[in-house]
Amino acid sequence: MPTCRRKRVVLTEPSEALLQTAKSNPNKEVYYLQQTGEIFETYDAYAARMSFYRLKQFQCEVTGKSGLDYFQALESEQQEAQTMHSRFPEPLKAAVLKAVQWQVVGRLDHLVEAVFDRFKDRYFADEKVFVDAQGDKFYAKVVQVHPPKAKGESVSVPTENQASSSSAPSPPPGTTDDDAVQIHKIGGDLKVPAKEALVRDDPLKYSYKVQILEEQHEKSHEKGKAAAKDKAKWSGSFMDVQCSVMSRDRLAFSKSILRRFIRDCVDRDAAVASPWTVKPVIAKHYGVDSVMPEETRKGVEDIKRGEIDKRKKIWEDKEGPPTKKQKKMTAAQEERVKALAIAAEKREREAREKAERQQKAKEEAERLAAEKKKKKPIRYPTEDMDVRLNDKEKKAGLKVKKPTPSKLGLPFGENQGTFEAFLTSWNFLVIYGQPLHLSTFTMDEFEHALRHSLIDPPCALLGEIHSTLIYNLRTVPFTRHSAVLSLLRLQDTLEEDHRVLGVSVDELAGAMADVGNNWERIPLRHTEMRDGWEEALLGCLKDHATLDNFPRLREVLTRLLFAPEPPVEVSSSSSSSRVSSPAANNNLSVPSSPSERYYALPPADRIDILTLMCNLAVSSKAVHSHMESCEEQLTALRKEKIEIGRQKKQFTEEMNSLAGETEVKEEPATNGNAADEDTTMHESSDLSDVPSEEGSETASTSSARQKRSARQKDLRQKAHTQAHAKQRELARAQAASAKQALAEHRRLDEEVNKLERRLEAIEREFRKLLGAVRVKPLGKDRFHNRIWWFDGMGSASLLGSGGVVQYGTGRIFIQGPSEMDLELMLKKEDDDYETRRLEEEGQEGMLAPSEWAQYAEPEELEEFLAWLNPKGVRELALKNVFIKWWSHIAPGMRKRISDLNISAKLPEARRSTRTKSSGHDVSREPYMMWTNRRAVNSV
């Protein structure tokens, strides 16, 4: 049976209620697990059990293999059991099982040892054994077993003639049933002590008649063809042998094989002193008695009783002996007993007080040890919620409360769903600008374009965005008139005259019939200002949109095809004024065209249209090809980054070696100059001492001394000149070497700087390409709020020509924790999570799941970075990412603020006092001046 955590897996039994139901309702449907035969009443129970069986935590009990699921472990056990049963001698199985039946042995190892010792020299009829004869080993079969009483002749080793003559007659018949009962009956009984069994049933006194097997003669250990011919004569012959010259194959009978056989065939209850019992099916197959004999049962009960009494005695020794009933005592005895009782009570009280003091001391020691353990320094970084600011850090100026991000400053921030759809659309258009042939634009320009409501002048940005998406959606499969079909299906579920904005479904379908039918063939040319893109947009919606992927389909189409009634002029007696009719407040009853009505759409509807088109464009071939290209480029950049890292390491090592060599050369040069000076001074002093030593000579030798002195002076001057020449030459060589080393060091330094600049460029390029494959947040803070920065991804760049800072959003967005993260934190921290959020974020700063906010100014972001605690794993990683990209984030935010300030001042500067209109020129707004430099002229 497979084991799980060292315990056997118990199969699930059907419940009593299910069994009763099966009796009353035999046709009740249940869930049946075929591999184990288990029955479950509900699918949840079946699925839970199947999931448990599929876990890789089971172990094969036979081989010990772990990391398997239940069915793999069961299959392994069955295969091993089949192999083991095929190898284990069949005639020996019944004898072994009869020997272990009803045995009370604590450990299975001890039982295996006892059985092996009893049967290693005892053989049975039909067993295959090895026989040693005349120094050769033969593979033979036991034909007949002669117990000691039936032994009629001694062991005989046949000669050549005997072997040839004995091969003629047929084999003698086997032993009878009465004889078989007596074979090894005492020796195989484990209830009989081993020594007694050896005396009463000695295996050495048994004689076995064996037959040499012809087909197995090659298993003997012969060498040479002559020996093979001699042994071939013995094939099929019979001989009488004893156990001393017999042995079994170790692959068929050994302690390990015997242990596996017994463990597979027997079982035992968990009660104290329970006997080993052969499994009923196996016992029936091998004729082992499954009913415990009365004598054996009494013996087992005696063993159990003795074990229980032994444990009871040990327990009573711990608790103390039971009190005995005392006889009636006299007055003096009573007084004595009272005194003894008082003394005993006093001793008991003192002992109790002592025990209490010891217990208190122990508790105090445990408390101090626990406090000491708590004070053990924590290894940082750790889980962010386990990090709290202490008083010292608060006094040092670390921020406790996070700066509150702005929700109202978000584009269309009054509706979080609209903002998220707006952000998704902008991100898609910027990231996939290259396959869409669309130049980049900032989020502010996109927002202002969506708010543009004037037909004249038209907004080029809106025309380019919709036109490029329409061109892209022409390659995406669609169903003709899918929107009309969806609306007609909706009409079947509505009332007969149901209207939306004053227009019924029939009227809307009729208005749609003749608009945008050939949208996939309308030439939306860039040179013609994308003329007709509004009608093509309606045709695209007709064929791609349904109520399933575009829930506001009916309202949007109604607004694109119908206009409100013109205001009615109502004159009065007192004054003439124009008053709008109340009936024309929201109803759209006048048929119109999409080119006139698109700019009257609210921004939310425009965002919904773009969201639908972007979602459909994801499946286009152009976008998929671009993503695959980005994946390939990412792989190439990863390889290049590794190679640059190797080169940088090599150059750095060379620079370090050059610096070390220069230091080593300077030190010996200095020491060498000093040594030369010392040598020169020493030589000059030695030479100058010569005349003084000869000063006592006579006047007759004075002229010779003067000549010698002149010669010595010339030698000294010549030595000085040579020394100075060597020094100058050495100095020149060192200067040249140092100059060369310095030039090489500068060259290597420039190479390292080039590699570092290339690494920075690779990081920027990597961010661009990775954004086209998957967009990930910069990280999470301690409360699992997600931090997003969308600049520099896809077709957008962080740096323009000449290193000019560029931005897409110019902001950092904060998204609330996901529902899964929030659920995990609430489950882990209980009430502390919400309390900390309220304390450290404030009521306004707490973001609901998937709620958005932003930091638009660098000062706010710097405060947020100061609030991050690097002792937490999430905030440490987030802070490192901010440090990595700070040189692009902060300048981008400042550039956006500068652009906003300039665009805010321009209308005031352009306002003319000579015109009566107080408005400004919309065409000079940044979003109106945007041009698509990636547009293909042919389309």
Side-chain angles (χ1 to χ4, degrees), residues 74-264:
L74 186 63
E75 182 181 0
S76 175
E77 289 187 0
Q78 291 173 352
Q79 290 178 353
E80 290 296 325
Q82 185 178 359
T83 304
M84 180 268 299
H85 279 288
S86 63
R87 288 180 177 178
F88 197 82
E90 190 68 27
L92 195 60
K93 291 180 180 179
V96 170
L97 293 177
K98 289 177 183 178
V100 301
Q101 180 77 315
W102 316 122
Q103 292 300 312
V104 182
V105 180
R107 290 176 57 86
L108 180 62
D109 295 338
H110 299 163
L111 182 63
V112 171
E113 290 283 350
V115 173
F116 183 80
D117 291 340
R118 291 295 180 96
F119 287 95
K120 65 180 179 180
D121 294 327
R122 301 180 187 275
Y123 301 90
F124 296 85
D126 295 332
E127 265 199 90
K128 305 289 179 64
V129 297
F130 288 113
V131 177
D132 290 328
Q134 295 181 349
D136 295 320
K137 182 173 286 188
F138 297 89
Y139 193 60
K141 176 183 177 182
V142 178
V143 177
Q144 194 172 14
V145 182
H146 299 288
K149 65 179 181 179
K151 181 179 178 182
E153 54 189 10
S154 59
V155 178
S156 60
V157 178
T159 62
E160 181 180 348
N161 297 333
Q162 288 174 334
S164 60
S165 62
S166 62
S167 61
S170 60
T175 57
T176 62
D177 294 340
D178 294 335
D179 294 335
V181 172
Q182 302 299 325
I183 292 173
H184 306 302
K185 181 177 181 181
I186 299 175
D189 190 358
L190 296 182
K191 292 188 286 294
V192 180
K195 293 183 179 179
E196 182 180 349
L198 189 61
V199 173
R200 296 173 56 188
D201 191 8
D202 191 354
L204 294 174
K205 296 180 180 180
Y206 278 79
S207 176
Y208 303 91
K209 178 168 285 189
V210 298
Q211 181 183 12
I212 304 299
L213 299 178
E214 181 180 359
E215 63 272 14
Q216 298 293 338
H217 72 278
E218 291 182 358
K219 289 191 177 182
S220 58
H221 303 284
E222 69 273 14
K223 292 184 180 179
K225 296 182 179 179
K229 291 180 180 179
D230 294 339
K231 292 185 178 182
K233 297 179 181 180
W234 291 37
S235 298
S237 63
F238 296 88
M239 64 175 65
D240 291 336
V241 295
Q242 287 183 319
C243 65
S244 58
V245 296
M246 300 171 66
S247 62
R248 294 186 178 94
D249 189 354
R250 288 188 57 81
L251 294 177
F253 185 77
S254 63
K255 288 184 181 180
S256 61
I257 294 291
L258 182 61
R259 174 186 173 84
R260 287 162 59 183
F261 173 74
I262 294 176
R263 183 170 57 184
D264 190 58

Side-chain angles (χ1 to χ4, degrees), residues 615-630:
N615 290 338
L616 295 172
V618 170
S619 59
S620 66
K621 184 177 180 181
V623 173
H624 271 270
S625 300
H626 181 70
M627 293 175 68
E628 292 174 359
S629 174
C630 289

Side-chain angles (χ1 to χ4, degrees), residues 478-493:
F478 59 85
T479 303
R480 186 69 70 179
H481 302 300
S482 61
V484 178
L485 296 174
S486 181
L487 290 173
L488 292 177
R489 284 194 296 269
L490 174 66
Q491 187 181 16
D492 296 338
T493 63

Side-chain angles (χ1 to χ4, degrees), residues 499-503 555 558-559 562-565 580-590 597:
R499 292 176 177 270
V500 172
L501 299 176
V503 180
E555 291 83 351
T558 302
R559 285 195 171 98
F562 291 90
E565 295 180 358
S580 299
S581 174
N585 49 5
N586 285 325
N587 290 337
L588 306 175
S589 57
V590 180
R597 294 296 303 158

Side-chain angles (χ1 to χ4, degrees), residues 429 435-438 462-473 524 530 613 932 935:
L429 294 171
L436 294 175
H437 304 291
L438 189 66
L462 286 177
E464 291 292 332
I465 289 173
H466 287 88
S467 299
T468 54
L469 288 174
I470 289 170
Y471 272 113
N472 189 268
L473 292 180
L524 304 175
R530 306 289 187 181
M613 299 178 76
N932 188 7

Side-chain angles (χ1 to χ4, degrees), residues 423 426-434 438 440-441 443 626 630 763-778 787-799 806-809 813 885 934:
L423 178 61
W426 175 85
N427 192 48
F428 177 85
L429 294 171
V430 171
I431 284 179
Y432 297 107
Q434 184 176 346
L438 189 66
T440 59
F441 46 86
M443 182 177 284
H626 181 70
C630 289
E763 288 293 339
R764 293 193 298 271
E765 190 68 20
F766 198 89
R767 176 175 173 81
K768 289 176 62 176
L769 296 173
L770 189 62
V773 179
R774 54 187 174 275
V775 181
K776 297 192 298 183
L778 293 179
I787 317 300
W788 296 89
W789 181 49
F790 294 100
D791 294 2
M793 291 194 295
S795 61
S797 299
L798 293 172
L799 296 177
Q806 292 183 340
Y807 68 92
T809 62
F813 294 98
W885 295 106
R934 289 183 178 164

